Amino acid sequence: MKILTLHCDYINFKPLKKALKSIGELSEKEKKGENIKEVLVVMTAVEKGDDVKISAEKLVENVMDVAKQVKAKNIVLYPYAHLSSKLASPDIAVKVLENAEKELKKNFKVSRAPFGYYKEFELKVKGHPLSELSREIVGGESTFKRKEVYDEKKLLREISKTKLDTSKLKENDHRILGQKMDLFSFSEVAPGMVFWHNNGLIIRNELINLWREVHRKAGYEEISTPQILDKRLWQISGHWEKYKENIFLTDYEKRTFAVKPMNCPGGMLVFKNKPKSYKDLPLRVGEMGIVHRQELSGVLGGLFRVIQFTQDDAHIFCTEKQIEEEISAIMDLIELFYSKIFDFSYRVELSTRPEKRIGSEKIWDKAEKTLENILKKKKMKYKINKGDGAFYGPKIDFHIKDSLGREWQCATIQLDFAMPERFELEYTGKDNKKKRPIMLHRVVYGSLERFIGILLEHYNGRLPTWLAPIQVRVLSFTDRNENYAKKIIEKIGGEIPMVRMDADFMQTTVQAKVKDAELMKVPYIIVVGDKEEKEGKVAVRIRGSKKIEEMKVGEFVERLKREIGEKERA
């Protein structure tokens, strides 16, 4: 049953003609309708499944509750089918209304508008907060929705208070760089979640494109899994016991769902969706998965500590014999990213079984020994980090060192015998028997948001050319050089269609234009004046250097092509 109670100054209603043939005739008095003042009008729709006795009792209970709050003495029960699309039969509805009317008359003056008739009505609703209330009565329980009253301008003032306090931040702090370079922002309407601006999104997308390119060549498939998953999935995986305090929960159709804090359970469901053979292994599956974890507001800090972030998760399903080769390949891939592309040095830790864990001691012994043997075979220096493994398996952690000497644990490789057991993952072996795969969890960036923050501070905003939001800015020395500058832009754009280039032809000094470009950390600032136009060259300021290099346009184009295409470190 659904009801809408309206506290009115008055209601006028009058029956017009029958809507249902089965309904009896009205008396002459009823045909004239009624005019009632200072009244609580109860628009009512009785629905399929409503019990006559219980629904009538609950209708009376709810009407009395509202009438008491608004101090109404007059009640009008008004059948109003428009409140629901699943109406009860007319017989049931009439009985509910009749029983309710009889009971309400003990305390109120009650009128009931004719049932089964088309009616016209006019009413004037009062203007206090309780004037309009809707309630739903389901299975003997009732809920109500009160009309919200709020001041939009006040709310806007409240949510517009977010402001970065730079007084305690160093000049190269990624939050300051992000503001100057127009990369991202934060707002109290979404604590710990990033609002990516166009320039910042370029960096993010370039890192994702690099990740996709490298992983595609390394034989990975890419998937995407839902953000909200049934609570039972997290109980199966073991995350519920360990992380439930940090999981965002929501209810849907009497089921509890979790906003995913991890990507791995979704990846396992993808594996289980189709029968697997030993010929399918190793199966390398990657996902740029967005996850959410509850954090106290006091520990949030720019891109370094957020609530919503993207993990470059990958899960490798393999046989026991394939473990060493797969982990070795992951280490090579991490070396490519850290040393060859981003110029990071790093150290390695072997993190062993934590106090709270799943799986038998025998499995943990085997997993830890396997990782240690691989590190020794690769002749990698490593340190034992006792008790810091994942709850489902030991791991190899990679700690990168930035240009400021700070260490960040980003990449990890986790060996998991336990979760495939929990999810009953299996494949058919050469002997046609069912076998359990081994699972490797791994990330390279870790949190993409945090990795961007590290890069910004590592390079002090001067990102490699391929990654910079604006790669080239062309400045005109005077208005008369503008046409030549446009030809330069056309030439570069024609040779490198995907180049990110803009121009500054404002009527200000060259010094002011260069300063603006420097704030944006543009790798290449091209200045063209009379001399450059006469000689068919460009004057190039490279990465904040005060030294200006003169180049032929073709020479500059080749240099730029090389840096963008090869992702060469500058």
Side-chain angles (χ1 to χ4, degrees), residues 255-504:
R255 292 165 62 190
T256 300
F257 285 78
V259 181
K260 69 176 177 181
M262 306 278 184
N263 296 302
C264 31
M268 277 178 282
L269 292 186
V270 172
F271 182 93
K272 281 179 72 72
N273 189 58
K274 188 178 175 183
K276 300 290 187 295
S277 155
Y278 70 94
K279 293 180 181 180
D280 297 312
L281 305 183
L283 177 61
R284 306 177 191 100
V285 182
E287 174 176 16
M288 275 289 172
I290 296 173
V291 298
H292 291 75
R293 297 179 192 171
Q294 287 196 47
E295 298 279 6
L296 296 172
S297 59
V299 302
L300 298 175
L303 298 177
F304 289 159
R305 193 71 176 263
V306 288
I307 283 172
Q308 180 199 67
F309 56 99
T310 306
Q311 283 188 316
D312 62 317
D313 259 321
H315 300 100
I316 299 172
F317 303 92
C318 62
T319 67
E320 206 165 319
K321 288 181 179 178
Q322 294 167 336
I323 291 174
E324 185 177 330
E325 187 178 349
E326 289 303 310
I327 290 180
S328 181
I330 296 169
M331 288 177 171
D332 291 342
L333 192 143
I334 290 168
E335 168 72 13
L336 169 66
F337 273 89
Y338 287 179
S339 297
K340 295 178 182 177
I341 296 177
F342 295 113
D343 196 23
F344 285 120
S345 60
Y346 60 88
R347 65 177 182 84
V348 177
E349 287 185 350
L350 173 58
S351 299
T352 59
R353 69 195 76 186
E355 190 176 330
K356 289 184 179 180
R357 56 185 180 268
I358 61 175
S360 69
E361 294 305 296
K362 185 179 177 182
I363 285 176
W364 277 92
D365 290 340
K366 186 177 184 179
E368 288 174 355
K369 193 68 178 172
T370 301
L371 291 185
E372 197 160 11
N373 287 340
I374 292 169
L375 286 167
K376 286 175 179 176
K377 278 190 179 181
K378 291 281 282 185
K379 295 181 179 177
M380 296 191 77
K381 291 182 180 179
Y382 66 93
K383 175 185 171 186
I384 298 288
N385 186 11
K386 196 173 179 180
D388 203 38
F391 71 90
Y392 44 75
K395 57 182 180 152
I396 300 171
D397 291 327
F398 296 77
H399 298 255
I400 62 175
K401 184 178 281 189
D402 65 18
S403 61
L404 303 173
R406 299 171 304 181
E407 285 195 340
W408 307 89
Q409 194 267 299
C410 293
T412 186
I413 305 170
Q414 302 168 354
L415 177 54
D416 183 1
F417 287 90
M419 218 171 281
E421 187 77 33
R422 284 201 163 206
F423 278 85
E424 298 180 356
L425 303 187
E426 59 184 25
Y427 68 94
T428 305
K430 281 185 181 180
D431 56 4
N432 214 31
K433 291 181 180 178
K434 297 296 182 184
K435 301 181 185 296
R436 192 79 70 206
I438 311 302
M439 189 174 181
L440 300 173
H441 307 245
R442 44 115 300 190
V443 294
V444 179
Y445 295 138
S447 158
L448 186 58
E449 285 72 12
R450 189 176 68 146
F451 195 77
I452 291 171
I454 294 168
L455 285 179
L456 286 171
E457 296 190 9
H458 178 62
Y459 290 110
N460 194 22
R462 295 195 182 281
L463 298 168
T465 305
W466 66 270
L467 191 54
I470 304 167
Q471 295 163 326
V472 181
R473 178 168 289 178
V474 180
L475 315 178
S476 58
F477 204 90
T478 65
D479 288 349
R480 63 178 173 271
N481 307 123
E482 192 172 315
N483 285 335
Y484 178 63
K486 287 178 179 177
K487 286 179 183 178
I488 297 297
I489 292 170
E490 190 176 338
K491 170 73 174 171
I492 297 171
E495 292 283 337
I496 314 173
M498 298 302 289
V499 68
R500 294 187 290 274
M501 177 171 51
D502 65 10
D504 187 349

Side-chain angles (χ1 to χ4, degrees), residues 99-157:
N99 288 357
E101 179 185 13
K102 183 178 178 182
E103 193 61 32
L104 286 168
K105 279 184 173 178
K106 293 177 182 178
N107 296 288
F108 303 94
K109 184 178 179 182
V110 182
S111 299
R112 182 160 57 88
F115 185 91
Y117 277 78
Y118 295 113
K119 300 176 286 292
E120 63 180 16
F121 69 90
E122 177 191 355
L123 50 78
K124 183 181 178 184
V125 180
K126 291 182 180 289
H128 57 74
L130 286 171
S131 61
E132 301 172 47
L133 286 171
S134 64
R135 298 193 178 192
E136 182 176 8
I137 301 169
V138 182
E141 297 295 329
S142 64
T143 61
F144 70 91
K145 297 174 184 176
R146 180 173 294 180
K147 185 177 180 181
E148 292 184 82
V149 179
Y150 49 83
D151 182 338
E152 295 91 340
K153 290 185 178 180
K154 182 184 177 186
L155 294 178
L156 182 61
R157 285 195 299 273

Side-chain angles (χ1 to χ4, degrees), residues 26 31 59 62 77 94 96 132 147 166 204 244 253 266 298 305 353 394 404 423 436 466 512 526 533 547 568 570:
L26 299 176
K31 287 178 182 178
L59 176 57
N62 279 270
L77 294 176
V94 169
V96 170
E132 301 172 47
K147 185 177 180 181
T166 60
R204 188 177 186 276
K244 63 183 174 185
E253 293 191 342
R305 193 71 176 263
R353 69 195 76 186
L404 303 173
F423 278 85
R436 192 79 70 206
W466 66 270
I526 293 177
E533 187 168 356
K547 184 182 175 184
E568 181 181 300

